Short mmCIF file of all heavy atoms in Angstrom, two decimals:
data_model
loop_
_atom_site.label_atom_id
_atom_site.label_comp_id
_atom_site.label_asym_id
_atom_site.label_seq_id
_atom_site.Cartn_x
_atom_site.Cartn_y
_atom_site.Cartn_z
N GLY A 363 130.13 89.62 80.86
CA GLY A 363 130.26 89.85 82.29
C GLY A 363 131.46 90.71 82.62
O GLY A 363 131.40 91.64 83.43
N GLY A 364 132.59 90.42 81.96
CA GLY A 364 133.80 91.20 82.20
C GLY A 364 133.66 92.63 81.74
O GLY A 364 134.14 93.56 82.39
N GLU A 365 132.99 92.84 80.60
CA GLU A 365 132.78 94.20 80.09
C GLU A 365 131.91 95.01 81.03
O GLU A 365 132.14 96.21 81.24
CB GLU A 365 132.17 94.13 78.70
CG GLU A 365 133.14 93.66 77.63
CD GLU A 365 132.46 93.39 76.30
OE1 GLU A 365 131.22 93.17 76.28
OE2 GLU A 365 133.16 93.38 75.27
N LYS A 366 130.90 94.37 81.60
CA LYS A 366 130.03 95.07 82.56
C LYS A 366 130.83 95.54 83.77
O LYS A 366 130.65 96.66 84.26
CB LYS A 366 128.88 94.16 83.00
CG LYS A 366 127.84 93.91 81.93
CD LYS A 366 126.74 92.99 82.44
CE LYS A 366 125.68 92.75 81.37
NZ LYS A 366 124.60 91.86 81.85
N LYS A 367 131.71 94.66 84.26
CA LYS A 367 132.50 95.01 85.45
C LYS A 367 133.50 96.12 85.12
O LYS A 367 133.70 97.05 85.91
CB LYS A 367 133.24 93.77 85.98
CG LYS A 367 132.32 92.66 86.47
CD LYS A 367 131.50 93.09 87.66
CE LYS A 367 130.65 91.94 88.20
NZ LYS A 367 131.42 90.90 88.86
N LYS A 368 134.12 96.04 83.95
CA LYS A 368 135.07 97.09 83.55
C LYS A 368 134.34 98.41 83.33
O LYS A 368 134.89 99.49 83.61
CB LYS A 368 135.83 96.67 82.28
CG LYS A 368 136.84 95.56 82.53
CD LYS A 368 137.81 95.40 81.37
CE LYS A 368 137.15 94.87 80.13
NZ LYS A 368 138.12 94.67 79.02
N ASN A 369 133.11 98.34 82.85
CA ASN A 369 132.32 99.54 82.66
C ASN A 369 132.03 100.23 83.99
O ASN A 369 131.99 101.46 84.08
CB ASN A 369 131.01 99.20 81.94
CG ASN A 369 130.21 100.43 81.57
OD1 ASN A 369 130.75 101.38 81.02
ND2 ASN A 369 128.94 100.42 81.88
N GLU A 370 131.86 99.44 85.05
CA GLU A 370 131.68 100.02 86.38
C GLU A 370 132.92 100.81 86.80
O GLU A 370 132.82 101.87 87.43
CB GLU A 370 131.42 98.90 87.40
CG GLU A 370 130.10 98.18 87.20
CD GLU A 370 128.94 98.91 87.83
OE1 GLU A 370 128.91 99.07 89.06
OE2 GLU A 370 128.04 99.34 87.08
N ILE A 371 134.10 100.30 86.45
CA ILE A 371 135.34 100.98 86.80
C ILE A 371 135.47 102.29 86.01
O ILE A 371 135.94 103.31 86.54
CB ILE A 371 136.56 100.07 86.55
CG1 ILE A 371 136.46 98.81 87.41
CG2 ILE A 371 137.86 100.80 86.87
CD1 ILE A 371 136.35 99.05 88.90
N ILE A 372 135.04 102.28 84.76
CA ILE A 372 135.04 103.51 83.97
C ILE A 372 134.13 104.55 84.63
O ILE A 372 134.49 105.74 84.73
CB ILE A 372 134.59 103.24 82.52
CG1 ILE A 372 135.69 102.47 81.78
CG2 ILE A 372 134.28 104.55 81.79
CD1 ILE A 372 135.29 102.00 80.41
N GLN A 373 132.96 104.12 85.07
CA GLN A 373 132.06 105.04 85.76
C GLN A 373 132.73 105.63 87.00
O GLN A 373 132.65 106.83 87.26
CB GLN A 373 130.77 104.31 86.16
CG GLN A 373 129.90 103.90 84.98
CD GLN A 373 128.69 103.10 85.41
OE1 GLN A 373 128.06 103.40 86.41
NE2 GLN A 373 128.36 102.06 84.65
N MET A 374 133.39 104.78 87.77
CA MET A 374 134.09 105.25 88.96
C MET A 374 135.14 106.30 88.60
O MET A 374 135.22 107.36 89.24
CB MET A 374 134.77 104.07 89.66
CG MET A 374 135.64 104.44 90.86
SD MET A 374 136.69 103.07 91.39
CE MET A 374 137.94 103.06 90.08
N MET A 375 135.92 106.03 87.57
CA MET A 375 137.00 106.94 87.20
C MET A 375 136.47 108.27 86.66
O MET A 375 137.03 109.33 86.92
CB MET A 375 137.92 106.26 86.18
CG MET A 375 138.61 105.02 86.72
SD MET A 375 139.60 104.15 85.49
CE MET A 375 141.02 105.23 85.40
N MET A 376 135.36 108.21 85.92
CA MET A 376 134.80 109.43 85.35
C MET A 376 134.08 110.28 86.39
O MET A 376 134.08 111.51 86.31
CB MET A 376 133.83 109.08 84.21
CG MET A 376 134.51 108.52 82.96
SD MET A 376 135.63 109.71 82.17
CE MET A 376 134.47 110.97 81.62
N LEU A 377 133.46 109.63 87.37
CA LEU A 377 132.73 110.37 88.40
C LEU A 377 133.65 110.83 89.54
O LEU A 377 133.30 111.74 90.29
CB LEU A 377 131.59 109.51 88.95
CG LEU A 377 130.51 109.14 87.92
CD1 LEU A 377 129.47 108.22 88.54
CD2 LEU A 377 129.85 110.40 87.36
N ASN A 378 134.79 110.16 89.66
CA ASN A 378 135.83 110.56 90.62
C ASN A 378 135.26 110.79 92.03
O ASN A 378 135.39 111.88 92.59
CB ASN A 378 136.54 111.83 90.12
CG ASN A 378 137.82 112.09 90.90
OD1 ASN A 378 138.46 111.16 91.39
ND2 ASN A 378 138.20 113.35 91.02
N PRO A 379 134.66 109.77 92.63
CA PRO A 379 134.09 109.92 93.97
C PRO A 379 135.17 110.04 95.04
O PRO A 379 136.34 109.72 94.82
CB PRO A 379 133.29 108.63 94.15
CG PRO A 379 134.06 107.63 93.34
CD PRO A 379 134.52 108.39 92.13
N LYS A 380 134.76 110.48 96.21
CA LYS A 380 135.69 110.53 97.35
C LYS A 380 135.89 109.13 97.94
O LYS A 380 136.98 108.82 98.41
CB LYS A 380 135.14 111.48 98.42
CG LYS A 380 135.04 112.92 97.96
CD LYS A 380 134.37 113.79 99.00
CE LYS A 380 134.21 115.24 98.51
NZ LYS A 380 133.47 116.06 99.50
N LEU A 381 134.83 108.33 97.92
CA LEU A 381 134.92 106.95 98.38
C LEU A 381 134.31 106.03 97.34
O LEU A 381 133.13 106.15 97.00
CB LEU A 381 134.18 106.77 99.71
CG LEU A 381 134.10 105.32 100.24
CD1 LEU A 381 135.50 104.78 100.55
CD2 LEU A 381 133.21 105.23 101.47
N ALA A 382 135.11 105.11 96.80
CA ALA A 382 134.64 104.12 95.84
C ALA A 382 134.48 102.79 96.54
O ALA A 382 135.43 102.29 97.16
CB ALA A 382 135.62 103.99 94.68
N ILE A 383 133.28 102.24 96.47
CA ILE A 383 132.99 100.93 97.07
C ILE A 383 132.80 99.93 95.94
O ILE A 383 131.92 100.10 95.09
CB ILE A 383 131.73 100.99 97.95
CG1 ILE A 383 131.86 102.09 99.00
CG2 ILE A 383 131.49 99.64 98.62
CD1 ILE A 383 130.58 102.32 99.79
N LEU A 384 133.63 98.90 95.92
CA LEU A 384 133.59 97.90 94.85
C LEU A 384 133.07 96.60 95.43
O LEU A 384 133.77 95.93 96.20
CB LEU A 384 134.98 97.71 94.24
CG LEU A 384 135.72 98.98 93.83
CD1 LEU A 384 137.08 98.63 93.22
CD2 LEU A 384 134.89 99.79 92.84
N ASP A 385 131.84 96.24 95.06
CA ASP A 385 131.20 95.06 95.62
C ASP A 385 131.42 93.86 94.71
O ASP A 385 130.73 93.68 93.71
CB ASP A 385 129.70 95.33 95.81
CG ASP A 385 129.00 94.21 96.59
OD1 ASP A 385 129.69 93.29 97.05
OD2 ASP A 385 127.77 94.28 96.73
N GLU A 386 132.42 93.05 95.05
CA GLU A 386 132.76 91.84 94.32
C GLU A 386 132.95 92.11 92.83
O GLU A 386 132.44 91.37 91.97
CB GLU A 386 131.73 90.74 94.58
CG GLU A 386 131.64 90.38 96.06
CD GLU A 386 130.97 89.05 96.34
OE1 GLU A 386 130.83 88.25 95.39
OE2 GLU A 386 130.62 88.81 97.50
N THR A 387 133.67 93.18 92.54
CA THR A 387 133.96 93.55 91.15
C THR A 387 134.76 92.47 90.44
O THR A 387 134.67 92.34 89.21
CB THR A 387 134.73 94.89 91.12
OG1 THR A 387 133.92 95.89 91.73
CG2 THR A 387 135.05 95.32 89.71
N ASP A 388 135.52 91.67 91.19
CA ASP A 388 136.35 90.64 90.57
C ASP A 388 135.59 89.35 90.32
O ASP A 388 136.11 88.43 89.67
CB ASP A 388 137.57 90.34 91.45
CG ASP A 388 137.19 89.97 92.89
OD1 ASP A 388 136.08 90.32 93.31
OD2 ASP A 388 138.02 89.34 93.57
N SER A 389 134.35 89.26 90.79
CA SER A 389 133.58 88.02 90.65
C SER A 389 133.32 87.70 89.18
O SER A 389 132.81 88.52 88.43
CB SER A 389 132.24 88.16 91.39
OG SER A 389 131.45 87.01 91.20
N GLY A 390 133.70 86.48 88.79
CA GLY A 390 133.42 86.03 87.43
C GLY A 390 134.38 86.52 86.38
O GLY A 390 134.18 86.24 85.19
N LEU A 391 135.42 87.24 86.77
CA LEU A 391 136.37 87.76 85.79
C LEU A 391 137.53 86.78 85.59
O LEU A 391 137.97 86.12 86.53
CB LEU A 391 136.94 89.10 86.26
CG LEU A 391 135.96 90.26 86.44
CD1 LEU A 391 136.72 91.53 86.79
CD2 LEU A 391 135.13 90.47 85.19
N ASP A 392 138.05 86.73 84.36
CA ASP A 392 139.24 85.93 84.13
C ASP A 392 140.47 86.71 84.59
O ASP A 392 140.38 87.87 85.01
CB ASP A 392 139.35 85.51 82.66
CG ASP A 392 139.47 86.69 81.70
OD1 ASP A 392 139.98 87.76 82.10
OD2 ASP A 392 139.05 86.55 80.53
N VAL A 393 141.62 86.07 84.55
CA VAL A 393 142.84 86.65 85.09
C VAL A 393 143.19 87.97 84.42
O VAL A 393 143.53 88.96 85.09
CB VAL A 393 144.02 85.67 84.95
CG1 VAL A 393 145.33 86.34 85.37
CG2 VAL A 393 143.78 84.42 85.79
N ASP A 394 143.07 88.03 83.10
CA ASP A 394 143.42 89.25 82.38
C ASP A 394 142.48 90.40 82.74
O ASP A 394 142.91 91.54 82.91
CB ASP A 394 143.38 89.01 80.87
CG ASP A 394 144.51 88.09 80.40
OD1 ASP A 394 145.54 88.03 81.11
OD2 ASP A 394 144.37 87.46 79.35
N ALA A 395 141.18 90.10 82.85
CA ALA A 395 140.21 91.14 83.20
C ALA A 395 140.44 91.67 84.60
O ALA A 395 140.30 92.87 84.86
CB ALA A 395 138.79 90.59 83.07
N VAL A 396 140.80 90.79 85.53
CA VAL A 396 141.10 91.21 86.90
C VAL A 396 142.28 92.17 86.92
O VAL A 396 142.27 93.18 87.63
CB VAL A 396 141.38 90.00 87.81
CG1 VAL A 396 141.95 90.46 89.16
CG2 VAL A 396 140.11 89.20 88.04
N LYS A 397 143.29 91.88 86.12
CA LYS A 397 144.46 92.76 86.06
C LYS A 397 144.09 94.13 85.50
O LYS A 397 144.59 95.17 85.96
CB LYS A 397 145.57 92.11 85.22
CG LYS A 397 146.27 90.95 85.91
CD LYS A 397 147.40 90.42 85.07
CE LYS A 397 148.15 89.30 85.78
NZ LYS A 397 148.82 89.77 87.01
N ILE A 398 143.22 94.16 84.51
CA ILE A 398 142.78 95.42 83.92
C ILE A 398 141.99 96.24 84.95
O ILE A 398 142.20 97.44 85.11
CB ILE A 398 141.94 95.17 82.66
CG1 ILE A 398 142.81 94.58 81.55
CG2 ILE A 398 141.28 96.46 82.18
CD1 ILE A 398 142.03 94.07 80.35
N VAL A 399 141.07 95.57 85.65
CA VAL A 399 140.29 96.24 86.68
C VAL A 399 141.20 96.76 87.79
O VAL A 399 141.05 97.90 88.26
CB VAL A 399 139.22 95.29 87.25
CG1 VAL A 399 138.62 95.85 88.54
CG2 VAL A 399 138.12 95.05 86.23
N SER A 400 142.15 95.94 88.23
CA SER A 400 143.10 96.36 89.27
C SER A 400 143.89 97.58 88.84
O SER A 400 144.12 98.50 89.63
CB SER A 400 144.06 95.21 89.61
OG SER A 400 143.36 94.10 90.12
N SER A 401 144.29 97.60 87.57
CA SER A 401 145.03 98.74 87.04
C SER A 401 144.19 100.00 87.11
O SER A 401 144.68 101.08 87.47
CB SER A 401 145.46 98.46 85.59
OG SER A 401 146.07 99.59 85.01
N GLY A 402 142.90 99.88 86.76
CA GLY A 402 142.01 101.03 86.82
C GLY A 402 141.85 101.56 88.22
O GLY A 402 141.87 102.78 88.45
N VAL A 403 141.73 100.66 89.20
CA VAL A 403 141.61 101.08 90.59
C VAL A 403 142.89 101.75 91.07
O VAL A 403 142.85 102.77 91.78
CB VAL A 403 141.25 99.88 91.50
CG1 VAL A 403 141.20 100.31 92.96
CG2 VAL A 403 139.91 99.29 91.08
N ASN A 404 144.03 101.19 90.68
CA ASN A 404 145.30 101.80 91.06
C ASN A 404 145.47 103.19 90.49
O ASN A 404 146.02 104.09 91.13
CB ASN A 404 146.47 100.90 90.62
CG ASN A 404 146.74 99.77 91.60
OD1 ASN A 404 146.66 99.96 92.81
ND2 ASN A 404 147.06 98.60 91.08
N LYS A 405 144.98 103.40 89.26
CA LYS A 405 145.04 104.73 88.65
C LYS A 405 144.11 105.72 89.36
O LYS A 405 144.39 106.91 89.44
CB LYS A 405 144.63 104.65 87.17
CG LYS A 405 145.60 103.90 86.27
CD LYS A 405 146.82 104.75 85.93
CE LYS A 405 147.68 104.04 84.90
NZ LYS A 405 148.89 104.84 84.56
N PHE A 406 143.01 105.19 89.89
CA PHE A 406 142.02 106.04 90.56
C PHE A 406 142.47 106.51 91.94
O PHE A 406 142.33 107.68 92.28
CB PHE A 406 140.69 105.28 90.68
CG PHE A 406 139.73 105.89 91.66
CD1 PHE A 406 138.98 107.01 91.32
CD2 PHE A 406 139.58 105.35 92.94
CE1 PHE A 406 138.11 107.59 92.24
CE2 PHE A 406 138.70 105.92 93.85
CZ PHE A 406 137.96 107.04 93.50
N LYS A 407 143.01 105.62 92.73
CA LYS A 407 143.26 105.95 94.14
C LYS A 407 144.37 106.98 94.29
O LYS A 407 145.35 107.00 93.55
CB LYS A 407 143.56 104.70 94.95
CG LYS A 407 144.82 103.95 94.61
CD LYS A 407 144.87 102.63 95.38
CE LYS A 407 146.14 101.85 95.09
NZ LYS A 407 147.34 102.41 95.71
N ASN A 408 144.16 107.88 95.26
CA ASN A 408 145.14 108.93 95.55
C ASN A 408 144.99 109.35 97.01
O ASN A 408 144.11 108.84 97.72
CB ASN A 408 144.94 110.12 94.59
CG ASN A 408 143.58 110.78 94.75
OD1 ASN A 408 143.23 111.23 95.84
ND2 ASN A 408 142.81 110.85 93.67
N PRO A 409 145.83 110.25 97.52
CA PRO A 409 145.78 110.61 98.94
C PRO A 409 144.50 111.30 99.39
O PRO A 409 144.26 111.41 100.60
CB PRO A 409 146.98 111.56 99.10
CG PRO A 409 147.92 111.18 98.01
CD PRO A 409 147.04 110.82 96.86
N GLU A 410 143.66 111.74 98.44
CA GLU A 410 142.45 112.46 98.82
C GLU A 410 141.17 111.62 98.71
O GLU A 410 140.09 112.10 99.03
CB GLU A 410 142.31 113.72 97.96
CG GLU A 410 143.39 114.76 98.25
CD GLU A 410 143.40 115.18 99.71
OE1 GLU A 410 142.33 115.50 100.25
OE2 GLU A 410 144.49 115.18 100.31
N ASN A 411 141.28 110.38 98.24
CA ASN A 411 140.11 109.52 98.17
C ASN A 411 140.39 108.21 98.88
O ASN A 411 141.44 108.03 99.50
CB ASN A 411 139.66 109.30 96.72
CG ASN A 411 140.70 108.58 95.87
OD1 ASN A 411 141.52 107.82 96.37
ND2 ASN A 411 140.66 108.82 94.56
N ALA A 412 139.45 107.29 98.82
CA ALA A 412 139.63 105.99 99.45
C ALA A 412 138.86 104.94 98.68
O ALA A 412 137.91 105.26 97.94
CB ALA A 412 139.17 106.02 100.91
N VAL A 413 139.25 103.68 98.86
CA VAL A 413 138.61 102.56 98.18
C VAL A 413 138.25 101.50 99.21
O VAL A 413 139.07 101.15 100.06
CB VAL A 413 139.54 101.95 97.11
CG1 VAL A 413 138.83 100.81 96.38
CG2 VAL A 413 139.99 103.01 96.10
N LEU A 414 137.03 101.00 99.11
CA LEU A 414 136.56 99.92 99.97
C LEU A 414 136.15 98.77 99.06
O LEU A 414 135.23 98.90 98.25
CB LEU A 414 135.38 100.39 100.81
CG LEU A 414 134.73 99.38 101.77
CD1 LEU A 414 135.74 98.87 102.79
CD2 LEU A 414 133.53 100.00 102.47
N ILE A 415 136.86 97.65 99.16
CA ILE A 415 136.65 96.50 98.28
C ILE A 415 135.99 95.37 99.05
O ILE A 415 136.47 94.96 100.11
CB ILE A 415 137.99 96.02 97.69
CG1 ILE A 415 138.66 97.14 96.89
CG2 ILE A 415 137.78 94.78 96.82
CD1 ILE A 415 140.09 96.81 96.50
#
Side-chain angles (χ1 to χ4, degrees):
E365 288 171 339
K366 289 180 179 180
K367 296 296 184 71
K368 289 194 292 182
N369 187 48
E370 293 278 296
I371 299 302
I372 289 173
Q373 292 176 40
M374 175 193 74
M375 297 176 76
M376 290 297 294
L377 297 177
N378 193 29
K380 296 174 183 176
L381 175 64
I383 305 172
L384 310 181
D385 189 5
E386 300 198 15
T387 300
D388 55 339
S389 176
L391 298 185
D392 61 28
V393 173
D394 291 336
V396 169
K397 287 184 177 296
I398 292 170
V399 166
S400 298
S401 174
V403 177
N404 278 321
K405 292 283 187 181
F406 164 78
K407 65 188 181 74
N408 63 57
E410 292 302 311
N411 63 27
V413 182
L414 179 60
I415 300 170

